[in-house]
Amino acid sequence: MNVTMGALLGGRYRLDSRIAVGGMGEVWRGHDEVLGRSVALKIMHAQLSTDPGFVDRFRAEARNTARLHHPRHSRRVRLRRDLG
C-alpha cells in the first residue's frame, strides 16, 4: 500500500499529513472526498496485518473508539483490511 502524502485510499480518503507513528501503525490527517470532511485515519503497519492476534486487537481498538461520545470526537469508525 502506498502510504504517502496525497495518496488516495479506497478511492475515498486522501492523506494530507502524518500525525504520528506508533507500534500499531500510522495516524494521518486526511480528507473524505465523498463526504467532504476532515478525518483521521489509522493505518496498520503492513507487516502486522498477517498476525491474526494483532488484527483482532486493532479491531478491538476500533470498536472501543466507536463507543466514545464527545462533541470534539468523530463517532464514525470505518474498518477495512485494505483500502489501497
Short mmCIF file of all heavy atoms in Angstrom, two decimals, residues 49-75:
data_model
loop_
_atom_site.label_atom_id
_atom_site.label_comp_id
_atom_site.label_asym_id
_atom_site.label_seq_id
_atom_site.Cartn_x
_atom_site.Cartn_y
_atom_site.Cartn_z
N SER A 49 -0.26 -7.07 9.50
CA SER A 49 -1.59 -7.45 9.00
C SER A 49 -1.76 -8.95 8.82
O SER A 49 -2.89 -9.42 8.64
CB SER A 49 -1.89 -6.73 7.69
OG SER A 49 -1.02 -7.16 6.67
N THR A 50 -0.68 -9.71 8.88
CA THR A 50 -0.78 -11.17 8.74
C THR A 50 -0.87 -11.88 10.09
O THR A 50 -1.01 -13.10 10.13
CB THR A 50 0.43 -11.72 7.96
OG1 THR A 50 1.62 -11.36 8.64
CG2 THR A 50 0.46 -11.16 6.53
N ASP A 51 -0.80 -11.12 11.17
CA ASP A 51 -0.88 -11.69 12.52
C ASP A 51 -2.32 -11.60 13.00
O ASP A 51 -2.81 -10.51 13.34
CB ASP A 51 0.04 -10.89 13.44
CG ASP A 51 0.01 -11.35 14.89
OD1 ASP A 51 -0.94 -12.07 15.29
OD2 ASP A 51 0.93 -10.97 15.63
N PRO A 52 -3.05 -12.73 13.05
CA PRO A 52 -4.47 -12.70 13.43
C PRO A 52 -4.72 -12.08 14.81
O PRO A 52 -5.70 -11.36 14.99
CB PRO A 52 -4.90 -14.17 13.42
CG PRO A 52 -3.89 -14.86 12.56
CD PRO A 52 -2.60 -14.08 12.72
N GLY A 53 -3.83 -12.32 15.76
CA GLY A 53 -3.98 -11.74 17.09
C GLY A 53 -3.87 -10.23 17.06
O GLY A 53 -4.63 -9.51 17.72
N PHE A 54 -2.94 -9.74 16.27
CA PHE A 54 -2.77 -8.30 16.15
C PHE A 54 -3.97 -7.66 15.47
O PHE A 54 -4.46 -6.63 15.90
CB PHE A 54 -1.49 -7.96 15.37
CG PHE A 54 -1.30 -6.48 15.22
CD1 PHE A 54 -0.77 -5.74 16.26
CD2 PHE A 54 -1.72 -5.83 14.08
CE1 PHE A 54 -0.63 -4.37 16.15
CE2 PHE A 54 -1.59 -4.46 13.96
CZ PHE A 54 -1.04 -3.73 15.00
N VAL A 55 -4.44 -8.30 14.41
CA VAL A 55 -5.62 -7.78 13.70
C VAL A 55 -6.82 -7.73 14.64
O VAL A 55 -7.58 -6.75 14.63
CB VAL A 55 -5.92 -8.63 12.44
CG1 VAL A 55 -7.24 -8.22 11.80
CG2 VAL A 55 -4.78 -8.51 11.43
N ASP A 56 -6.97 -8.74 15.49
CA ASP A 56 -8.07 -8.73 16.47
C ASP A 56 -7.93 -7.55 17.43
O ASP A 56 -8.92 -6.89 17.76
CB ASP A 56 -8.09 -10.04 17.27
CG ASP A 56 -8.58 -11.22 16.46
OD1 ASP A 56 -9.21 -11.00 15.39
OD2 ASP A 56 -8.34 -12.37 16.89
N ARG A 57 -6.72 -7.25 17.89
CA ARG A 57 -6.51 -6.11 18.80
C ARG A 57 -6.79 -4.78 18.08
O ARG A 57 -7.37 -3.86 18.67
CB ARG A 57 -5.08 -6.13 19.36
CG ARG A 57 -4.86 -7.24 20.37
CD ARG A 57 -3.53 -7.13 21.09
NE ARG A 57 -2.38 -7.17 20.21
CZ ARG A 57 -1.81 -8.29 19.74
NH1 ARG A 57 -2.30 -9.47 20.08
NH2 ARG A 57 -0.75 -8.23 18.95
N PHE A 58 -6.40 -4.70 16.83
CA PHE A 58 -6.65 -3.49 16.03
C PHE A 58 -8.16 -3.27 15.89
O PHE A 58 -8.66 -2.15 16.05
CB PHE A 58 -5.99 -3.65 14.66
CG PHE A 58 -5.80 -2.37 13.91
CD1 PHE A 58 -4.68 -1.58 14.13
CD2 PHE A 58 -6.72 -1.96 12.96
CE1 PHE A 58 -4.47 -0.41 13.42
CE2 PHE A 58 -6.53 -0.78 12.24
CZ PHE A 58 -5.41 -0.01 12.47
N ARG A 59 -8.89 -4.34 15.61
CA ARG A 59 -10.36 -4.26 15.51
C ARG A 59 -10.98 -3.87 16.85
O ARG A 59 -11.92 -3.08 16.89
CB ARG A 59 -10.93 -5.58 15.03
CG ARG A 59 -10.71 -5.83 13.58
CD ARG A 59 -11.45 -7.07 13.13
NE ARG A 59 -11.24 -7.26 11.72
CZ ARG A 59 -10.92 -8.40 11.15
NH1 ARG A 59 -10.79 -9.49 11.89
NH2 ARG A 59 -10.74 -8.49 9.86
N ALA A 60 -10.47 -4.44 17.93
CA ALA A 60 -10.99 -4.11 19.26
C ALA A 60 -10.79 -2.62 19.55
O ALA A 60 -11.68 -1.96 20.10
CB ALA A 60 -10.32 -4.96 20.33
N GLU A 61 -9.63 -2.08 19.17
CA GLU A 61 -9.39 -0.66 19.36
C GLU A 61 -10.40 0.17 18.56
O GLU A 61 -10.93 1.17 19.06
CB GLU A 61 -7.97 -0.30 18.92
CG GLU A 61 -7.67 1.18 19.10
CD GLU A 61 -6.29 1.55 18.61
OE1 GLU A 61 -5.31 1.22 19.31
OE2 GLU A 61 -6.20 2.17 17.53
N ALA A 62 -10.69 -0.25 17.34
CA ALA A 62 -11.66 0.47 16.51
C ALA A 62 -13.05 0.42 17.15
O ALA A 62 -13.77 1.43 17.19
CB ALA A 62 -11.70 -0.12 15.10
N ARG A 63 -13.44 -0.74 17.67
CA ARG A 63 -14.75 -0.85 18.35
C ARG A 63 -14.81 0.06 19.57
O ARG A 63 -15.80 0.75 19.80
CB ARG A 63 -15.01 -2.31 18.76
CG ARG A 63 -15.49 -3.18 17.64
CD ARG A 63 -16.01 -4.52 18.16
NE ARG A 63 -14.99 -5.25 18.91
CZ ARG A 63 -14.11 -6.08 18.38
NH1 ARG A 63 -14.09 -6.30 17.08
NH2 ARG A 63 -13.25 -6.71 19.13
N ASN A 64 -13.75 0.06 20.37
CA ASN A 64 -13.73 0.91 21.57
C ASN A 64 -13.75 2.39 21.20
O ASN A 64 -14.42 3.19 21.87
CB ASN A 64 -12.51 0.59 22.43
CG ASN A 64 -12.62 -0.78 23.08
OD1 ASN A 64 -13.72 -1.25 23.35
ND2 ASN A 64 -11.50 -1.42 23.30
N THR A 65 -13.05 2.75 20.16
CA THR A 65 -13.07 4.14 19.69
C THR A 65 -14.47 4.54 19.24
O THR A 65 -14.93 5.65 19.51
CB THR A 65 -12.06 4.33 18.54
OG1 THR A 65 -10.75 4.00 19.03
CG2 THR A 65 -12.06 5.74 18.02
N ALA A 66 -15.15 3.63 18.58
CA ALA A 66 -16.51 3.91 18.10
C ALA A 66 -17.49 4.16 19.25
O ALA A 66 -18.51 4.82 19.07
CB ALA A 66 -17.01 2.76 17.23
N ARG A 67 -17.18 3.64 20.44
CA ARG A 67 -18.07 3.82 21.59
C ARG A 67 -17.91 5.17 22.29
O ARG A 67 -18.72 5.54 23.13
CB ARG A 67 -17.82 2.70 22.60
CG ARG A 67 -18.27 1.35 22.10
CD ARG A 67 -18.09 0.29 23.18
NE ARG A 67 -18.41 -1.00 22.65
CZ ARG A 67 -17.57 -2.03 22.57
NH1 ARG A 67 -16.35 -1.91 23.05
NH2 ARG A 67 -17.94 -3.16 22.05
N LEU A 68 -16.84 5.90 21.97
CA LEU A 68 -16.61 7.19 22.60
C LEU A 68 -17.62 8.22 22.09
O LEU A 68 -17.94 8.25 20.92
CB LEU A 68 -15.19 7.69 22.29
CG LEU A 68 -14.04 6.86 22.83
CD1 LEU A 68 -12.73 7.41 22.32
CD2 LEU A 68 -14.06 6.84 24.35
N HIS A 69 -18.10 9.05 23.02
CA HIS A 69 -19.05 10.11 22.65
C HIS A 69 -18.57 11.42 23.25
O HIS A 69 -18.51 11.57 24.47
CB HIS A 69 -20.45 9.78 23.17
CG HIS A 69 -21.02 8.55 22.55
ND1 HIS A 69 -21.52 8.52 21.27
CD2 HIS A 69 -21.13 7.30 23.03
CE1 HIS A 69 -21.94 7.30 20.99
NE2 HIS A 69 -21.71 6.53 22.04
N HIS A 70 -18.21 12.35 22.38
CA HIS A 70 -17.76 13.66 22.81
C HIS A 70 -17.95 14.60 21.61
O HIS A 70 -17.74 14.19 20.46
CB HIS A 70 -16.29 13.61 23.22
CG HIS A 70 -15.80 14.89 23.84
ND1 HIS A 70 -15.37 15.95 23.08
CD2 HIS A 70 -15.69 15.27 25.12
CE1 HIS A 70 -15.01 16.93 23.87
NE2 HIS A 70 -15.20 16.55 25.13
N PRO A 71 -18.33 15.86 21.86
CA PRO A 71 -18.55 16.79 20.74
C PRO A 71 -17.32 16.99 19.85
O PRO A 71 -17.45 17.32 18.68
CB PRO A 71 -18.92 18.11 21.42
CG PRO A 71 -19.31 17.75 22.80
CD PRO A 71 -18.64 16.47 23.15
N ARG A 72 -16.12 16.80 20.38
CA ARG A 72 -14.90 17.01 19.60
C ARG A 72 -14.32 15.70 19.04
O ARG A 72 -13.18 15.65 18.63
CB ARG A 72 -13.84 17.71 20.47
CG ARG A 72 -14.26 19.02 21.06
CD ARG A 72 -14.24 20.16 20.10
NE ARG A 72 -12.86 20.44 19.70
CZ ARG A 72 -12.54 21.18 18.69
NH1 ARG A 72 -13.47 21.74 17.96
NH2 ARG A 72 -11.29 21.40 18.38
N HIS A 73 -15.11 14.66 19.07
CA HIS A 73 -14.64 13.35 18.61
C HIS A 73 -15.61 12.79 17.57
O HIS A 73 -16.80 12.81 17.76
CB HIS A 73 -14.57 12.39 19.82
CG HIS A 73 -14.05 11.05 19.45
ND1 HIS A 73 -14.87 10.02 19.07
CD2 HIS A 73 -12.79 10.56 19.39
CE1 HIS A 73 -14.14 8.96 18.80
NE2 HIS A 73 -12.88 9.27 18.99
N SER A 74 -15.06 12.28 16.50
CA SER A 74 -15.88 11.64 15.47
C SER A 74 -16.38 10.30 15.98
O SER A 74 -15.63 9.52 16.53
CB SER A 74 -15.05 11.43 14.21
OG SER A 74 -15.77 10.67 13.29
N ARG A 75 -17.64 10.01 15.78
CA ARG A 75 -18.19 8.74 16.23
C ARG A 75 -18.09 7.64 15.18
O ARG A 75 -18.18 6.48 15.49
CB ARG A 75 -19.67 8.92 16.58
CG ARG A 75 -19.87 9.69 17.83
CD ARG A 75 -21.30 9.58 18.23
NE ARG A 75 -21.71 10.81 18.88
CZ ARG A 75 -22.95 11.11 19.13
NH1 ARG A 75 -23.90 10.31 18.79
NH2 ARG A 75 -23.22 12.23 19.73
#
